[in-house]
Amino acid sequence: MARRAGPAVWAVFLWPGGHHHGAWRLPDSTGAELMSFDNYRRMAQDAERGKLDVVFLGDRLDAWPLPTAYLARTARAARLETLTLTAALATVTERIGIVATASTTFSEPFNLARMIGSLDHISGGRIGWNVVTSYTDDQAQNYGLDHIPPRPERYARAQEFLDVVKGLWDTFEDDAVFRDKEKGQFFDPARFHKLDHKGEHFSVAGPLNMERPPQGYPVICQAGASKDGIAFAARNGELLFSVNSSIERARDYYKAIKDGAVAAGRHPDEVKVLASINPVIGRTEEEANEKYEQMQALLDDDVSRTFAEHYFGIDLAEYDLDAPVPEIELPEVGRGSAAGAPGVHAQPRPRPEPDHA
Ligand SMILES: Cc1cc2nc3c(=O)[nH]c(=O)nc-3n(C[C@H](O)[C@H](O)[C@H](O)COP(=O)(O)O)c2cc1C
């Protein structure tokens, strides 16, 4: 379903406990917010009352890939499963969109077509799917693999995955179900389609056992920053999340997406690109600055260094922690969005692997 550009979209990336790594240690945080549905409910309802368009729920399929001694000093090792959380949030909100993250590398199209389609029905057509391919060996090792497949392979699977999911959502045509009690005819068999997909990665017969989602296709969201990720986003994405450290990088990303969309035969307005900020909020600028300094003081040096090493894919052991930050050449994997402020992105970058070169 083609969507045309309207006004700007405002989204909030919900992370109870805060994106800043020191935030969970602030006096008014208990750290228990992370596993508390009530906290998510309150944030989503606040966002709705504040007239934002979307709440974004990230997800990953491992605890963070930090050594346990460091992980244990962060508020990052535990989370609620996102699709389940989305279903619950849909029932306590009325208008706001909810973007839920699900991986095409570690699921099956039939499963996600049902789950995300169900969420769209439950929410009355308010769901977006953040299509991710996952990127760490730690995630692969929870699904029977030693290593994460190379990126081109992941995105090729993602494309076929998405095509199959959309095909399944097309099982019932829009007006196929009319529930004629008089005639005893629930739906029109001529407007009901079995998929019979046989491709490189999937063999899916269908039909999907669900009426078409209210939106037809829930909104396809994405945040890939590599060449493959951008190509996938330009071809399929409708709402893209990006983290860029400078206006030039943000412009380059925006242009790559819009050019890619046109190259893929789409109207550039069919895809929206969201830039990101990581605000620290106070009643006054002074109060916000104080809060920021307070959080900075709560950062642990060793955890921060280890996090930065994983995030940027570099070894910082040889550098003096108290010396000025030197010029460091980042490996390609770190460049995509490591260029963004750590903490906004909130996903550690994998160490360089052959496919990231
Ligand atoms: C704002 C933002 C949010 C993201 N959220 C998730 C997430 O929840 N789960 C995940 O596995 N990856 C997430 N990612 C990672 C992207 O899906 C993508 O894999 C990453 O940016 C690297 O790009 P690439 O896949 O093109 O290499 C996020 C990225 C950004 C910029």
Side-chain angles (χ1 to χ4, degrees):
M1 184 193 297
R3 289 181 178 82
R4 293 274 183 255
V9 172
W10 292 87
V12 58
F13 194 147
L14 296 191
W15 187 270
H19 285 274
H20 191 288
H21 283 250
W24 71 275
R25 299 175 67 196
L26 285 170
D28 57 357
S29 161
T30 62
E33 296 90 347
L34 280 162
M35 300 302 290
S36 154
F37 173 67
D38 205 48
N39 195 46
Y40 276 101
R41 179 193 56 73
R42 189 178 51 73
M43 291 194 297
Q45 290 175 342
D46 281 353
E48 184 165 84
R49 203 167 42 250
K51 308 237 182 290
L52 298 188
D53 299 293
V54 170
V55 294
F56 176 97
L57 300 169
D59 200 16
R60 56 184 301 136
L61 303 165
D62 59 357
W64 274 30
L66 292 187
T68 307
Y70 297 116
L71 185 64
R73 283 146 73 185
T74 73
R76 291 288 195 267
R79 59 171 69 237
L80 292 175
E81 192 284 315
T82 303
L83 299 184
T84 323
L85 175 59
T86 300
L89 285 178
T91 66
V92 294
T93 51
E94 288 171 7
R95 299 179 309 280
I96 199 159
I98 308 174
V99 171
T101 298
S103 175
T104 53
T105 304
F106 303 116
S107 189
E108 287 286 323
F110 198 83
N111 287 349
L112 284 193
R114 296 189 72 209
M115 291 193 237
I116 294 167
S118 292
L119 289 172
D120 209 45
H121 280 286
I122 290 168
S123 66
R126 292 188 282 131
I127 296 302
W129 170 21
N130 180 35
V131 182
V132 300
T133 66
S134 310
Y135 51 79
T136 59
D137 289 344
D138 301 64
Q139 299 184 78
Q141 284 158 16
N142 289 330
Y143 293 87
L145 297 179
D146 290 335
H147 299 289
I148 191 85
R151 187 192 279 121
E153 209 175 285
R154 297 201 306 271
Y155 276 104
R157 177 183 161 106
Q159 187 61 57
E160 190 180 333
F161 195 114
L162 185 57
D163 292 342
V164 172
V165 167
K166 285 183 169 177
L168 290 168
W169 284 334
D170 285 335
T171 294
F172 286 90
E173 289 182 24
D174 276 335
D175 50 359
V177 183
F178 42 75
R179 307 177 193 93
D180 188 330
K181 289 195 205 170
E182 200 93 331
K183 294 193 180 127
Q185 187 79 34
F186 203 88
F187 66 88
D188 177 1
R191 284 178 280 172
F192 176 80
H193 308 287
K194 198 163 176 275
L195 187 63
D196 284 328
H197 172 89
K198 279 204 193 321
E200 199 185 326
H201 302 88
F202 305 107
S203 184
V204 183
L208 187 67
N209 50 357
M210 178 186 297
E211 288 178 31
R212 197 170 164 75
Q215 295 182 91
Y217 304 148
V219 178
I220 303 303
C221 307
Q222 224 268 334
S226 65
K227 191 163 71 52
D228 297 299
I230 287 175
F232 180 85
R235 182 163 170 198
N236 306 288
E238 296 175 290
L239 192 58
L240 308 185
F241 297 85
S242 67
V243 177
N244 289 289
S245 62
S246 69
I247 192 77
E248 289 75 26
R249 278 177 182 278
R251 284 193 183 120
D252 288 351
Y253 173 77
Y254 183 91
K255 186 168 173 347
I257 291 293
K258 296 285 176 165
D259 289 352
V262 172
R266 305 172 72 198
H267 189 286
D269 290 347
E270 283 175 41
V271 48
K272 288 248 187 210
V273 177
L274 271 60
S276 48
I277 56 165
N278 192 11
V280 179
I281 297 166
R283 271 164 297 209
T284 60
E285 191 173 340
E286 194 187 358
E287 189 179 293
N289 281 333
E290 253 170 45
K291 198 193 234 176
Y292 177 70
E293 291 307 330
Q294 203 180 355
M295 288 192 293
Q296 289 292 92
L298 292 170
L299 289 174
D300 176 304
D301 284 351
D302 291 334
V303 174
S304 300
R305 198 200 59 235
T306 311
F307 174 75
E309 288 183 341
H310 278 77
Y311 188 89
F312 291 109
I314 50 178
D315 187 354
L316 293 171
E318 61 186 279
Y319 299 102
D320 179 356
L321 269 186
D322 293 323
V325 180
E327 287 287 329
I328 303 174
E329 184 61 20
L330 292 181
E332 196 55 44
V333 60
R335 284 203 194 110
S337 59
V344 174
H345 178 201
Q347 305 288 333
R349 311 294 303 154
R351 287 185 171 282
E353 298 164 22
D355 71 301
H356 292 122

